Amino acid sequence: MNEDRAARYQRLKRRVSLASLAWSVLLLGGLLATGGSVWLRDYAQAVAANIPAGLAAPATVVLYVAALTLIGEIGSLPLAFYSSFIVERRYELSNEPFGGWLRDQAKSLAIGLVLGAGAASVIYFLIRLSPAGWWLPAGAVFALVIVGLTNLAPVLLLPLFYTLKPLDREALRVRLVAMAERAGARVLGVYEWGLGEKTKKANAALTGIGSTRRILVSDTMLAEYSEDEIEVVMAHELAHHVYGDIWKGIVFESLLILAGFFAAARVLSAAVGPLGLNGPGDVAGLPLLLLAAGAVSLVMLPVAHAISRAHERRADRFALELTKNPGAFVSAMRRLGAQNLAEEDPSELVQWLFHSHPPIRERVAAAEAFKV
């Protein structure tokens, strides 16, 4: 019965994701086809007209991005409300009141505005410097940004949404730190991750790189899982750092961004005339840039998922070899699958298109076949 319920839940979440993607494509394509993007640029320029001349161009970009982001947010808000509030409550996974959900949406919007305006400002600055070759330095800058965000997110962004506090279970803390040291992954602390005020789901993670690497265990996991189960879950997370999966992911994502920028540069150059743009550096072409770069990422998504599933299988194997406790691994996977409503055995097509992790049934079977 849980599998059927989980399958229905995941199917609804996938449908909303596809609807959200469709909305983004329709919005960006519609702005280009109707001239709405040029109108937004003109409006942004008019507002920025009173700004000193040297700042007018970057201000126009920031104002355009703000307007585009707000339009996108208004259109996607019903989908977000249905997916992350209605569906989560329908399946008894949410603890978050509407006010808390709304605050999180506002925080996400604010962060998106800041990051989006900053990213667009860098891109259009580089386009003004080199209309044909901007994509290469832009790719390098964004690779550095990804590294920075990966390093700083645990200490700057995560606390904006969740309560984090040092784990007060000393025996478990010592056990997890000792395991990390055995695996060769130094950590700077073990923290209780306050998921329980928002969701009934359980999770654990090893976040950050270098000086911000820390172990996080959700309060929902601490409340119901044995220490053996928590240890084997964290052993899996440690594997990603031991094998450099975080850095491999950063490299892969950076290459995707570079390829996306290259495609966007070619498309923008060809579309200047047909779209009535003033040149590649015209911010009215931003929807086209986003569509071209997004198309590259979308096409490569199954490849990214396949790589991720391979890394997850290797991390499972590492956890079993490190802890020598397949029983705890099996019980933890089954408990996580039931608690988080994960599909036990999705179709091959669903895995190929949507899943970054192997199915629960496959992971359990591998652990049951493991020889201690």
Side-chain angles (χ1 to χ4, degrees):
M1 291 181 66
N2 178 65
E3 181 181 3
D4 292 340
R5 186 166 178 263
R8 289 195 300 271
Y9 168 75
Q10 295 294 342
R11 186 163 56 250
L12 283 174
K13 301 291 278 190
R14 286 194 296 270
R15 286 175 178 172
V16 175
S17 296
L18 291 173
S20 181
L21 175 62
W23 159 246
S24 297
V25 172
L26 286 172
L27 172 62
L28 298 175
L31 287 172
L32 292 171
T34 63
S37 186
V38 171
W39 182 88
L40 273 182
R41 179 214 52 208
D42 291 343
Y43 177 77
Q45 283 180 336
V47 175
N50 298 323
I51 297 175
L55 299 176
T60 298
V61 171
V62 170
L63 290 168
Y64 179 97
V65 170
L68 180 61
T69 302
L70 288 173
I71 294 170
E73 180 71 14
I74 290 169
S76 64
L77 191 59
L79 290 171
F81 177 69
Y82 177 73
S83 177
S84 59
F85 190 79
I86 297 295
V87 172
E88 295 298 302
R89 283 187 170 272
R90 179 184 301 174
Y91 284 85
E92 301 176 338
L93 293 173
S94 176
N95 294 324
E96 190 171 29
F98 176 71
W101 178 86
L102 205 56
R103 283 193 297 273
D104 281 350
Q105 293 298 306
K107 291 176 189 177
S108 297
L109 174 60
I111 293 170
L113 281 170
V114 171
L115 294 180
S121 296
V122 169
I123 289 172
Y124 281 97
F125 171 76
L126 292 172
I127 291 176
R128 288 192 294 271
L129 289 180
S130 177
W134 63 268
W135 58 273
L136 187 57
V141 169
F142 274 67
L144 294 176
V145 170
I146 293 171
V147 173
L149 287 176
T150 303
N151 192 37
L152 295 177
V155 294
L156 291 183
L157 297 182
L158 198 60
L160 293 177
F161 296 92
Y162 300 101
T163 301
L164 299 175
K165 62 181 183 180
L167 183 65
D168 61 5
R169 289 167 55 173
E170 183 62 15
L172 178 60
R173 187 195 69 79
V174 170
R175 184 173 180 177
L176 295 178
V177 170
M179 181 178 64
E181 290 175 352
R182 291 202 313 273
R186 185 175 64 91
V187 297
L188 298 180
V190 184
Y191 291 82
E192 180 178 324
W193 179 10
L195 288 186
E197 61 187 16
K198 300 179 188 292
T199 181
K200 294 181 173 67
K201 294 179 180 179
N203 204 352
L206 184 60
T207 62
I209 52 177
S211 61
T212 63
R213 184 185 292 158
R214 57 192 62 195
I215 291 173
L216 305 180
V217 185
S218 72
D219 50 358
T220 48
M221 179 172 283
L222 291 167
E224 299 186 26
Y225 290 63
S226 70
E227 292 195 357
D228 282 352
E229 289 171 331
I230 294 172
E231 181 184 52
V232 78
V233 169
M234 284 312 310
H236 168 98
E237 298 300 326
L238 282 167
H240 292 307
H241 288 258
V242 170
Y243 288 114
D245 294 341
I246 308 302
W247 285 105
K248 291 172 186 174
I250 289 172
V251 170
F252 183 80
E253 189 172 350
S254 299
L255 290 174
L256 274 185
I257 290 174
L258 185 64
F261 283 164
F262 175 79
R266 303 282 80 77
V267 172
L268 273 176
S269 296
V272 166
L275 291 179
L277 303 178
N278 296 326
D282 188 343
V283 73
L286 181 58
L288 185 61
L289 188 155
L290 294 173
L291 286 171
V296 172
S297 293
L298 189 62
V299 168
M300 292 300 294
L301 190 60
V303 176
H305 285 336
I307 293 172
S308 176
R309 289 194 299 272
H311 289 169
E312 296 298 330
R313 293 186 184 99
R314 184 175 61 187
D316 284 351
R317 181 76 184 185
F318 177 90
L320 292 167
E321 291 174 346
L322 183 64
T323 63
K324 303 291 193 296
N325 197 344
F329 184 93
V330 168
S331 62
M333 287 299 106
R334 285 178 172 160
R335 192 187 295 270
L336 280 168
Q339 188 169 355
N340 297 349
L341 288 186
E343 288 180 279
E344 285 194 15
D345 194 19
S347 69
E348 291 291 334
L349 180 61
V350 167
Q351 291 183 56
W352 189 66
L353 292 175
F354 296 100
H355 282 222
S356 59
H357 287 61
I360 293 293
R361 183 174 298 177
E362 176 188 323
R363 301 175 75 178
V364 167
E368 290 176 336
F370 179 78
K371 304 298 183 184
V372 178

